[in-house]
Amino acid sequence: MKIKPKKLQKGDTIGVVALSKFVSKEKLDFINNAVERFKSLGLNVVLGDTCFKIDKYQTSAGEPEERVEELHKMFSDPDIKAVYCALGGDTILQIVSLLDYVLIRSNYKIFIGMSDNDIVSLSMYKMTGLITFNGSDFFAGTGFDFDFEYTWQSFQKRLLQKEKTILPYRPRITLRGGQADGKILGCNLSSILKLAGTRYFPDFEDSILFLESYYTNPKKSIYQLQQLKEIGVFEKIKGLVVGFIAGFEDKELKEKNQIPNNIRFEDILLDMVNEYDLPILKTYDFGHRNPTCYLPIGAEVHIDADKKHIEIKEDFLV
């Protein structure tokens, strides 16, 4: 059964955690800038201790047990109404099997993250039924994240106002026409595949797969999409929504990866799913180095690839 957390309102407190990579001294100003922005909405912010801890390998925000303890503390604290992941990182998979999903289910609240934090978002939804949120990093002053007005407005519309219509950041593109209904699952392709073979891997039956990717190239995209195919994901889903694919669409990353201008991620995807009758919509509404619309993971959604429309069908907050 799905669990729907309470919406945010003025006076609520958000707890910020680092579940993988730590917040470096260079990024502390970005965190503080974001805190000030949230204060302007009447929201309070508490920064978790592990944001600034460093593990023995100098790569993560403390040892796995410390990161888990911090997250449990945030969920157990009744004064904390939402938990927001400061940033992503590759080592978050360490904590998934250590989480107390009974505690999380009993003290459910809003959980927001992106990139590798999708691993915890998807695991929470799978193990507890809690609707979680794909959002942005907790940064401002970087040229990304909350500096995008679309992201800042989407946070307010989705988490404070419970807005169900997902507005386009840029014009959407119909890759394959049709309509579909299903639960939202995604979003970072690499993060989804890190759960493959574990009991936390999402059940994609009757879902709409939302996909984005960061450091990627044609070779990596081919094998990752093929892996999804071999697992049987494309046989189960009802439709696809493609977000911003930073490796192909971000100028800096594209030049670094030496990707020719005539190669697009969506063309590779269309080849991979050629035999499946799926509506597919290309958007710029979520992804790395790009604005984000705040997607409620697990909520029912309707997509119309012909009309280029995305509408959440159920209340995802109470």
Side-chain angles (χ1 to χ4, degrees):
M1 186 177 74
K2 291 180 186 177
I3 300 176
K4 301 172 183 180
K6 292 182 179 179
K7 74 169 186 174
L8 288 172
Q9 55 188 352
K10 188 175 181 180
D12 282 350
T13 298
I14 296 173
V16 178
V17 296
L19 300 181
S20 188
K21 191 176 182 181
F22 57 87
V23 178
S24 64
K25 292 180 180 179
E26 294 78 14
K27 291 183 177 179
L28 179 57
D29 285 344
F30 303 152
I31 293 282
N32 290 331
N33 291 340
V35 170
E36 292 304 312
R37 294 211 70 175
F38 275 74
K39 285 182 178 179
S40 73
L41 295 178
L43 297 170
N44 305 306
V45 178
V46 173
L47 301 180
D49 294 336
T50 54
C51 288
F52 311 105
K53 287 188 176 182
I54 303 177
D55 75 328
K56 61 186 176 184
Y57 297 117
Q58 307 291 300
T59 186
S60 302
E63 304 303 328
E65 293 79 9
E66 292 178 301
R67 287 174 269 151
V68 168
E69 182 181 1
E70 182 87 275
L71 186 59
H72 288 167
K73 178 182 175 182
M74 291 288 187
F75 268 90
S76 299
D77 188 341
D79 293 328
I80 302 292
K81 304 302 182 184
V83 180
Y84 206 123
C85 297
L87 71 174
D90 291 316
T91 60
I92 197 169
L93 194 60
Q94 288 180 300
I95 76 169
V96 171
S97 63
L98 302 178
L99 293 178
D100 185 339
Y101 293 100
V102 174
L103 181 150
I104 291 169
R105 184 182 177 89
S106 301
N107 300 273
Y108 63 88
K109 57 192 63 177
I110 291 170
F111 179 82
I112 307 169
M114 73 167 298
S115 193
D116 275 83
N117 294 302
D118 288 341
I119 290 171
V120 169
S121 289
L122 292 168
S123 297
M124 282 186 185
Y125 176 69
K126 175 72 179 291
M127 302 301 290
T128 71
L130 176 62
I131 290 178
T132 56
F133 290 84
N134 172 272
S136 72
D137 285 342
F138 197 82
F139 289 162
T142 65
F144 302 111
D145 304 306
F146 296 130
D147 297 330
F148 288 119
E149 188 61 22
Y150 178 90
T151 298
W152 186 236
Q153 292 299 323
S154 293
F155 171 83
Q156 297 172 64
K157 289 177 180 178
R158 204 78 61 236
L159 280 306
L160 282 81
Q161 302 165 19
K162 303 192 294 184
E163 175 62 49
K164 294 180 180 178
T165 301
I166 298 177
L167 298 174
Y169 171 63
R170 287 167 50 188
R172 294 165 177 162
I173 302 168
T174 301
L175 297 180
R176 186 186 293 164
Q179 302 180 36
D181 299 289
K183 61 182 180 286
I184 298 172
L185 287 179
C187 297
N188 182 258
L189 178 53
S190 295
S191 298
I192 294 169
L193 289 173
K194 287 177 183 177
L195 289 173
T198 74
R199 64 189 179 123
Y200 311 103
F201 190 70
D203 178 5
F204 283 98
E205 196 71 44
D206 296 328
S207 68
I208 306 296
L209 176 57
F210 284 70
L211 279 182
E212 60 91 9
S213 192
Y214 186 23
Y215 275 102
T216 192
N217 53 48
K219 179 170 63 175
K220 183 177 180 181
S221 298
I222 289 168
Y223 82 69
Q224 288 185 325
L225 291 170
Q226 184 67 35
Q227 187 177 358
L228 283 183
K229 189 173 183 177
E230 297 296 339
I231 293 171
V233 170
F234 298 135
E235 296 176 0
K236 296 180 178 181
I237 63 175
K238 299 298 184 183
L240 267 161
V241 179
V242 181
F244 189 76
I245 309 297
F248 286 79
E249 299 181 278
D250 182 276
K251 183 178 179 181
E252 178 186 339
L253 294 180
K254 190 170 184 176
E255 290 176 353
K256 184 175 182 179
N257 290 332
Q258 298 181 322
I259 300 175
N261 287 328
N262 64 333
I263 297 179
R264 304 184 306 167
F265 175 86
E266 48 264 42
D267 294 327
I268 298 172
L269 175 65
L270 286 170
D271 280 344
M272 290 289 182
V273 301
N274 183 55
E275 67 265 43
Y276 305 102
D277 184 21
L278 298 169
I280 307 174
L281 187 60
K282 166 62 183 169
T283 79
Y284 302 90
D285 307 336
F286 60 99
H288 286 71
R289 300 167 74 97
N290 186 73
T292 187
C293 61
Y294 286 83
L295 290 165
I297 301 300
E300 292 293 317
V301 68
H302 173 77
I303 65 167
D304 188 325
D306 297 302
K307 295 182 178 179
K308 305 176 179 66
H309 184 72
I310 305 174
E311 183 84 16
I312 302 167
K313 293 178 58 183
E314 66 174 325
D315 291 330
F316 49 88
L317 295 171
V318 296

